[in-house]
Amino acid sequence: LNPPPASAGGGEEGGVFAQIRRKIVEAFQKEGADAWFVKSASSFLPEGFQCECGSKEFEKEVDIIDVWFDSGVSHQAVLKKSKELKYPADLYLEGSDQHRGWFQSALTTGMALDSRSPFDGVLTHGFVVDGEGKKMSKSAGNVLAPQDVMKEFGSDVLRLWVAACDYEFDVRLSKEILKQLVESYRKIRNTFRYLLGNLYDFDYKKDRVPFEKMEPLDRWALGKCLKVVQEASSYYDAFEFHPVYRRVYEFCTIDLSAFYFDVLKDTLYTARQDGAKRRSAQTVLFFILRNLVKVMAPILPFTMDEIWRNLVIQEGIQSVHETEWPREHGELIDEVALKDWEDFLAIRDPINRELEKKREEKVIGSSLEAKVVLTTDNPELLDYLERLKKDLPFALIVSQVEIVAKANRDSWNMISLTLPSDGRTRSVGIRVEEAEGKKCVRCWNYSNFVGTHPEHPALCEKCVEAVSKIR
């Protein structure tokens, strides 16, 4: 069916060609594009229509312009026709083979019709292959269907696998890989369980501690979390999901579980329940939970929604997916605290090695039975250690820390330290001794105070304050 000549009235609004076009459009709207192949040629023609030669028999043309033409003009047929959608599209998303398919045909037709690309961005990805990097096929028996994965591992683990992959290349999928992701998922979930479990008696509106009154280590943890939020937001904007997963996983396992949570147990479990130190820690735990649950919601939607419903404060919002994206709160990032405690982590490792040696030598049992003595002849490092001295026993999980200036090096284990804050190397001496005083039966810290209180002779000063408040 080619356009009729002008003599047939094809150029006029009510001409034959306009009538044919309307009939085709109406058929497509009611029955879809398949109407062209199902209906007869005469059904698209005006009644009594005939060729100039007198023939009334016509054949439909079934050849196509291009295999990608239909999807290539979807920006016209879909985006421009729907009020809920926008033109141009924000993003076209498909596999890397579409550079010569859908992306190309959409770009060509868009430029021809509107002199611009029908999309603002394009994202392409590789293909799923098996654990050995081979193409999946039913004949090879190496196909792992998403439905089967969800039945065995759950949909959030499948989504976590997707987020953990660098989709710029072909991505491998096998049960062994998924089992590794299950372990990662469990560690992330356990982080949230710890956060929720330690907020059971915390009311954010009533109990929160102002930023300027928070403990130094709490300000470090809050700053680390807000840095994670900043990085994750940038990664999401760039459609880079595997760095989001990696950054959150490292924060949960290294910064929180392996350090901050471990150190915090003494405060959360033995400090005065409504004391400023415990409330400071809970305030930060609440901030971390509320930020992380939103950051991970696009990747683990069901798990994060479950966690959100168990938050102490829901603020009237029933689903995490209805909340606003976490704000960056740059004013709550204490750069001094971040530098101080990053430097501490560099010092902590050799101290922990010394503690382990004394444990092997049976000098101490747990780390709380130890007193750590540090010395340096570097004025800057000495000032730094003195500044953190009050918090060092707590952060090292020992009973006492003593700082000594310019001691005789013969009785010390001298090590060279490179601090992250400035990259400079300094010398510090470490010595581990038995802790002074007696063991507190409540918190297990050693203190010279134990045995001096008439009502609570078995408790240290911190625990006396805590139990006195309970009474």
Side-chain angles (χ1 to χ4, degrees):
L1 284 173
N2 293 316
S7 59
E12 302 171 10
E13 183 62 29
V16 173
F17 182 59
Q19 294 178 45
I20 294 173
R21 185 175 61 189
R22 279 199 299 271
K23 280 179 170 286
I24 294 172
V25 170
E26 289 171 2
F28 277 35
Q29 287 175 336
K30 292 179 181 178
E31 304 172 39
D34 283 351
W36 180 259
F37 302 97
V38 175
K39 301 173 76 70
S40 64
S42 60
S43 62
F44 297 110
L45 298 171
E47 188 176 349
F49 180 78
Q50 64 180 25
C51 178
E52 288 181 334
C53 67
S55 174
K56 296 181 180 180
E57 298 294 327
F58 296 90
E59 290 184 1
K60 293 176 295 179
E61 179 58 71
V62 293
D63 288 344
I64 58 176
I65 299 174
D66 179 85
V67 292
W68 292 106
F69 183 78
D70 282 357
S71 59
V73 293
S74 58
H75 49 83
Q76 301 290 320
V78 178
L79 295 183
K80 284 191 173 182
K81 297 293 183 181
S82 176
K83 294 179 181 179
E84 291 80 20
L85 302 177
K86 66 179 284 285
Y87 179 86
D90 290 324
L91 185 74
Y92 268 35
L93 169 65
E94 252 292 359
S96 55
D97 60 329
Q98 296 309 312
H99 286 287
R100 62 181 185 274
W102 184 36
F103 300 148
Q104 176 65 26
S105 60
L107 181 61
T108 302
T109 53
M111 293 300 296
L113 293 168
D114 295 315
S115 300
R116 67 144 295 151
S117 166
F119 44 75
D120 287 335
V122 167
L123 182 64
T124 61
H125 55 79
F127 296 90
V128 179
V129 295
D130 69 10
E132 297 178 358
K134 297 177 182 178
K135 180 181 178 181
M136 287 190 179
S137 67
K138 291 182 179 179
S139 60
N142 62 347
V143 174
L144 191 56
Q147 294 86 346
D148 296 333
V149 173
M150 288 189 286
K151 285 179 183 177
E152 184 171 353
F153 300 102
S155 58
D156 272 4
V157 171
L158 179 62
R159 293 176 67 93
L160 187 62
W161 165 75
V162 173
C165 295
D166 185 353
Y167 59 77
E168 292 185 18
F169 310 97
D170 288 347
V171 293
R172 299 189 179 198
L173 176 62
S174 68
K175 285 198 174 182
E176 289 69 29
I177 293 172
L178 288 168
K179 287 175 182 177
Q180 294 174 11
L181 264 297
V182 167
E183 187 60 29
S184 299
Y185 169 82
R186 185 177 293 114
K187 288 180 179 179
I188 293 172
R189 186 181 175 91
N190 284 343
T191 299
F192 283 100
R193 289 183 65 182
Y194 183 97
L195 291 164
L196 283 171
N198 284 287
L199 291 170
Y200 72 95
D201 65 337
F202 179 76
D203 184 335
Y204 174 72
K205 295 178 181 178
K206 179 169 63 94
D207 299 326
R208 71 178 181 267
V209 173
F211 175 73
E212 61 275 7
K213 293 184 179 180
M214 287 179 182
E215 295 292 318
L217 188 57
D218 295 332
R219 288 202 298 272
W220 169 84
L222 177 59
K224 290 287 284 188
C225 178
L226 294 175
K227 291 278 189 180
V228 170
V229 171
Q230 290 178 351
E231 293 173 31
S233 299
S234 298
Y235 288 135
Y236 273 125
D237 288 341
F239 303 104
E240 296 178 5
F241 308 117
H242 65 283
V244 175
Y245 155 74
R246 186 178 66 250
R247 189 66 192 89
V248 171
Y249 178 78
E250 290 173 352
F251 180 60
C252 289
T253 57
I254 299 173
D255 297 320
L256 295 181
S257 295
F259 174 50
Y260 185 59
F261 288 173
D262 196 30
V263 167
L264 219 55
K265 289 175 184 176
D266 184 66
T267 295
L268 293 173
Y269 303 154
T270 69
R272 201 178 81 195
Q273 185 173 7
D274 61 348
K277 195 167 185 178
R278 186 168 181 269
R279 291 307 190 199
S280 171
Q282 286 183 307
T283 302
V284 172
L285 293 181
F286 180 84
F287 269 118
I288 291 173
L289 175 57
R290 195 165 61 170
N291 277 280
L292 284 189
V293 73
K294 295 177 183 180
V295 167
M296 288 301 288
I299 295 175
L300 302 174
F302 299 106
T303 304
M304 295 304 112
D305 216 30
E306 179 188 0
I307 291 166
W308 180 263
R309 290 195 298 272
N310 284 279
L311 266 173
V312 177
I313 297 175
Q314 297 187 33
E315 300 173 347
I317 301 174
Q318 298 303 310
S319 172
V320 68
H321 307 297
E322 296 175 355
T323 64
E324 292 183 357
W325 189 252
R327 282 174 268 177
E328 295 190 356
H329 287 296
E331 74 280 4
L332 299 182
I333 298 177
D334 187 337
E335 295 292 350
V336 174
L338 286 174
K339 290 178 181 178
D340 278 351
W341 290 102
E342 291 302 314
D343 285 346
F344 164 79
L345 291 173
I347 300 173
R348 174 177 174 253
D349 287 341
I351 293 175
N352 282 343
R353 287 194 291 270
E354 287 299 306
L355 289 167
E356 186 59 33
K357 285 180 184 178
K358 294 300 180 181
R359 191 177 289 113
E360 292 173 356
E361 295 170 3
K362 308 298 183 183
V363 175
I364 62 170
S366 76
S367 61
L368 288 175
E369 296 178 15
K371 171 185 177 180
V372 172
V373 188
L374 302 174
T375 185
T376 181
D377 54 8
N378 183 283
E380 293 177 348
L381 183 56
L382 185 64
D383 288 344
Y384 164 76
L385 292 173
E386 289 288 352
R387 190 167 73 251
L388 264 63
K389 183 178 179 180
K390 178 176 70 73
D391 298 303
L392 287 178
F394 164 69
L396 290 167
I397 317 180
V398 297
S399 287
Q400 293 117 25
V401 172
E402 183 181 351
I403 311 297
V404 179
K406 298 180 180 180
N408 185 343
R409 295 190 173 199
D410 294 339
S411 61
W412 300 80
N413 178 21
M414 302 300 299
I415 62 169
S416 295
L417 280 176
T418 302
L419 299 184
S421 61
D422 59 13
R424 293 169 56 194
T425 301
R426 299 167 176 86
S427 180
V428 63
I430 304 171
R431 192 168 68 207
V432 174
E433 304 172 352
E434 290 185 78
E436 299 173 359
K438 297 178 181 178
K439 181 180 180 179
C440 173
V441 297
R442 185 171 180 270
C443 70
W444 297 3
N445 279 270
Y446 282 72
S447 170
N448 289 319
F449 181 88
V450 176
T452 63
H453 196 279
E455 292 185 37
H456 305 287
L459 300 184
C460 67
E461 58 270 42
K462 179 189 65 178
C463 289
V464 167
E465 180 192 14
V467 298
S468 300
K469 185 66 177 180
I470 292 172
R471 289 176 61 190

